[in-house]
Amino acid sequence: MFIILLSKQSIQLKWGKMEELESSVIEHLIEVETQASTVTLNAQQEALKIINNAKAKAETEYLAKYNEQLSKIVKEWDEKAKEISDSSEQEISKYKERINSTSQNTEAFNKLMDSIIASGLEL
């Protein structure tokens, strides 16, 4: 009976040590999980920082190229508009010169008007 009692005590002692060991293992696992969470959070923050810097750089480059192309298009537009304006002014000027240089035959015009009026009265 003494041997059995000793066995029960040793079982209880071993069980107590197992509980301590399990508790220690669980605490260690929680500590490792906390460290992993911290590492993951730091990595996410660093990745977000890198992504935001890349986005800012890409946007800056895009805007620079956009503004460069816009300036080029506006310049070409202004040059073409000036060319068209100059050309139309020349055409209008030539037209005015042709009209001003045309001699007026008032005698023939008056005869034509008289004949139109006379034919209208006969109807």
Side-chain angles (χ1 to χ4, degrees), residues 44-58:
Q44 287 175 339
Q45 289 173 342
E46 185 65 27
L48 186 60
K49 186 176 168 182
I50 291 169
I51 289 170
N52 287 338
N53 287 341
K55 281 182 181 179
K57 181 181 177 185

Side-chain angles (χ1 to χ4, degrees), residues 114-123:
D114 288 342
S115 70
I116 291 173
I117 293 171
S119 69
L121 293 177
E122 292 177 4
L123 292 175

Side-chain angles (χ1 to χ4, degrees), residues 28-46:
H28 177 69
L29 290 175
I30 289 173
E31 184 180 316
V32 168
E33 185 178 343
T34 303
Q35 290 173 353
S37 175
T38 302
V39 168
T40 303
L41 180 62
N42 289 342
Q44 287 175 339
Q45 289 173 342
E46 185 65 27

Side-chain angles (χ1 to χ4, degrees), residues 19-21 25 32 36 39 43 45 54 69 72 78 85 87 91 100 103 106 112 115:
E19 285 178 346
E20 289 176 24
L21 184 61
V25 168
V32 168
V39 168
Q45 289 173 342
Q69 288 299 317
K72 185 178 179 181
D78 289 343
S85 177
S87 174
E91 289 293 321
N100 290 334
S103 62
T106 53
L112 176 64
S115 70

